[in-house]
Amino acid sequence: MESIKEQMQGFAIKQALKYVEGNPEENLPKLMALVDRFSPADWYASQRSAVREVIEKKNNWYQLILKLYELSPNVRRAFFQNFLFNASLKGSAIQNEAKEREGCNVPWAILLDPTSACNMHCTGCWAAEYGHLLNLSYEDIDSIIRQGKELGVYMYIYTGGEPLVRKADLIRLCEAHPDCEFLSFTNGTLIDEAFCNEMLRVGNFVPAISLEGFEEANDSRRGEGAFGKVKDAMALLKAHRLPFGISTCYTSRNFEDVTSEAFFDYMVDSGALFAWFFHYMPVGNDAAPELLPAPEQRAEVYRRIRAFRSSKPIFTLDFQNDAEYVGGCIAGGRNYLHINAKGDVEPCVFIHYSNVNIHDCTLLDALKSPIFMAYHDEQPFNGNMLRPCPMLENPECLRRMVKETGAVNTDYQSPESVDHLCDKTTPYAERWKPTADALWNEGRKRA
Ligand code: SF4
């Protein structure tokens, strides 16, 4: 049940959004002036000042906000209500209460794999490890969402496998939980006219399409013709005024391509509203450690993404280099967790070690399981936020946590020991440390 305060907040936000809706360019500054006039001086002072600056300077963030007003109204309403209000304001308050009460991490988002099935076979994809015959049933996912909402979680992100193999169930889940926002990583090949109409109808489903650069770089990893199919999917989404983003994994081979100005412009022109960058992770016995970026390559990625973030109208996250904004590693339920298609509850999509399965325990039990509590007790894993990960930059932490908690590997086809995994990342961590320390100190001096 929503409290009176939440209902009032929800009502005020709805009214404010309705006001902006008619003419965003004219009404946004007016709304901001009203908020400033009637709010206590210290109420979200820094956030208000950031929003004011965006409106006054009409910079790239302002252009991005205006792009939200080009979307279908039903989708925009769901985004504001579910993502901004339910997941971020109301949800965070419930999560904080639950954390305090239960003494464990409580996440902002839950990632889950509806299926391990995929219609593609990309080099280095972790999903390939789970086998191809596993599924979470509609009832499993529905139960996870119901339990999540009790803890204040309104954000659900599908990974896989290719989640859209289960698109009928995913749409049913959007209908069953109209107060949640759903985002799905996808290879984009199953997005068609009929599915666009379904997304428009439910309003709360946003795809994040995988793209690894321009045609040559993308198709060398994802297969011939993949780039063309993504291009078609983006055109279809744009024509239907649907929001979408791009998900990119950068490696030693494609980092120049995916962080070039031309690639940023291509994503913006194609209609993407956000781009999430992931550092290649050498997970699994068949991983390709040579794809790990060299220190100077990762430093270049860090610089370029930051530069484009302040100049291009697209919201970018560079997961391995942006930890400073979220206080380090976000896994282990601190901000998110991952449930694979077999139901194993893992701290992170890249950390395939677990003590529990969601078919045998509650979500709260999983958050209190040994490896989750080890994350809870040890985060952050490093004071240098450019070295946040217990696997990639601090492999001694993951080795110890897995051994001490007795967590088992969840790769059923080819189980990988934590020593095998961390032996691959230890030399990387040693090479990256001096560059990371120099960059981190440079950033602190500028701040
Ligand atoms: S475990 Fe590593 S990859 Fe996963 S969220 Fe933490 S820092 Fe990121």
Side-chain angles (χ1 to χ4, degrees):
M1 275 286 278
E2 281 186 11
S3 69
I4 303 269
K5 188 179 158 207
E6 282 165 2
Q7 286 177 25
M8 298 283 288
Q9 280 178 338
F11 178 75
I13 289 176
K14 269 186 203 146
Q15 291 304 106
L17 293 171
K18 219 162 153 187
Y19 175 67
V20 176
E21 192 82 14
N23 185 343
E25 285 202 71
E26 200 179 300
N27 293 341
L28 264 174
K30 285 190 196 162
L31 177 67
M32 198 61 220
L34 276 176
V35 171
D36 281 344
R37 191 159 149 218
F38 291 107
S39 310
D42 58 350
W43 186 76
Y44 288 104
S46 61
Q47 287 90 338
R48 269 168 43 211
S49 131
V51 174
R52 208 177 304 118
E53 193 179 313
V54 164
I55 294 173
E56 280 164 11
K57 288 193 176 158
K58 295 200 179 344
N59 60 12
N60 59 316
W61 294 103
Y62 182 76
Q63 291 164 31
L64 185 58
I65 293 172
L66 291 187
K67 281 176 151 207
L68 293 178
Y69 285 90
E70 290 167 13
L71 298 175
S72 151
N74 186 34
V75 173
R76 179 168 56 251
R77 264 194 303 274
F79 170 78
F80 284 136
Q81 175 68 38
N82 297 353
F83 180 80
L84 291 187
F85 183 67
N86 295 352
S88 304
L89 281 171
K90 172 176 139 182
S92 298
I94 307 173
Q95 291 151 28
N96 287 338
E97 273 172 31
K99 273 178 212 174
E100 192 75 14
R101 188 179 65 240
E102 304 293 341
C104 61
N105 281 332
V106 174
W108 172 76
I110 293 179
L111 271 68
L112 46 95
D113 301 352
T115 180
S116 62
C118 183
N119 50 344
M120 294 173 81
H121 303 280
C122 307
T123 316
C125 172
W126 75 78
E129 286 175 59
Y130 291 121
H132 298 285
L133 298 167
L134 304 169
N135 286 290
L136 288 173
S137 68
Y138 172 89
E139 289 73 23
D140 292 334
I141 303 176
D142 182 59
S143 162
I144 292 165
I145 297 171
R146 284 177 197 284
Q147 293 181 59
K149 285 201 279 190
E150 292 284 313
L151 296 171
V153 186
Y154 289 86
M155 185 76 208
Y156 294 86
I157 302 179
Y158 298 122
T159 51
E162 169 50 49
L164 296 195
V165 167
R166 299 272 309 280
K167 56 185 168 182
D169 278 339
L170 301 191
I171 290 292
R172 269 177 77 204
L173 288 157
C174 289
E175 290 173 302
H177 300 282
D179 49 354
C180 293
E181 193 70 8
F182 296 90
L183 189 139
S184 181
F185 290 99
T186 173
N187 58 38
T189 57
L190 299 172
I191 293 174
D192 54 17
E193 181 83 33
F195 189 61
C196 285
N197 288 329
E198 287 294 81
M199 282 190 274
L200 281 174
R201 185 172 65 78
V202 294
N204 54 347
F205 188 93
V206 180
I209 305 175
S210 304
L211 195 59
E212 313 293 342
F214 287 111
E215 191 157 5
E216 201 188 320
N218 184 71
D219 289 4
S220 71
R221 180 146 179 230
R222 307 187 71 82
E224 209 185 316
F227 184 82
K229 286 181 185 157
V230 168
K231 205 170 155 190
D232 294 346
M234 293 194 296
L236 209 49
L237 290 162
K238 191 176 176 185
H240 284 82
R241 298 164 69 203
L242 282 160
F244 68 93
I246 299 293
S247 145
T248 289
C249 173
Y250 58 86
T251 70
S252 57
R253 296 205 186 126
N254 75 351
F255 82 97
E256 298 236 49
D257 227 17
V258 295
T259 58
S260 65
E261 182 156 22
F263 190 66
F264 268 79
D265 289 342
Y266 178 72
M267 292 191 288
V268 171
D269 293 345
S270 301
L273 296 177
F274 61 92
W276 287 359
F277 290 87
F278 295 91
H279 184 291
Y280 173 72
M281 297 292 189
V283 177
N285 288 321
D286 296 332
E290 65 278 8
L291 292 179
L292 282 166
E296 59 282 8
Q297 296 173 336
R298 178 166 166 184
E300 187 59 21
V301 169
Y302 164 91
R303 289 196 190 94
R304 288 190 193 186
I305 291 179
R306 282 175 188 230
F308 292 134
R309 185 179 290 153
S310 56
S311 60
K312 303 286 179 190
I314 185 165
F315 177 69
T316 51
L317 280 178
D318 174 1
F319 278 90
Q320 220 55 31
N321 291 326
D322 279 341
E324 65 178 294
Y325 303 118
V326 285
C329 168
I330 56 175
R334 188 170 156 259
N335 294 81
Y336 94 99
L337 57 82
H338 177 236
I339 304 177
N340 71 18
K342 193 164 187 238
D344 302 310
V345 189
E346 302 166 335
C348 168
V349 283
F350 300 113
I351 306 291
H352 301 164
Y353 299 93
S354 170
N355 302 101
V356 285
N357 188 289
I358 202 67
H359 296 115
D360 310 320
C361 71
T362 65
L363 186 59
L364 191 56
D365 290 337
L367 287 162
K368 292 181 178 176
S369 66
I371 195 159
F372 275 76
M373 289 310 291
Y375 266 77
H376 171 269
D377 296 343
E378 297 198 27
Q379 285 162 325
F381 295 101
N382 202 306
N384 179 341
M385 294 288 145
L386 290 167
R387 298 169 59 208
C389 186
M391 171 195 35
L392 190 68
E393 294 106 354
N394 307 279
E396 66 288 354
C397 294
L398 189 70
R399 272 187 218 268
R400 183 172 29 77
M401 289 196 298
V402 168
K403 288 177 186 178
E404 284 177 3
T405 60
V408 297
N409 188 253
T410 50
D411 176 348
Y412 298 99
Q413 293 206 314
S414 174
E416 181 176 39
S417 74
V418 72
D419 284 329
H420 185 268
L421 172 63
C422 292
D423 284 350
K424 284 178 285 187
T425 55
T426 298
Y428 171 92
E430 284 163 5
R431 282 196 304 271
W432 171 239
K433 183 179 180 304
T435 310
D437 288 348
L439 271 181
W440 181 243
N441 293 333
E442 215 176 273
R444 303 285 64 70
K445 273 186 212 141
R446 273 199 309 270

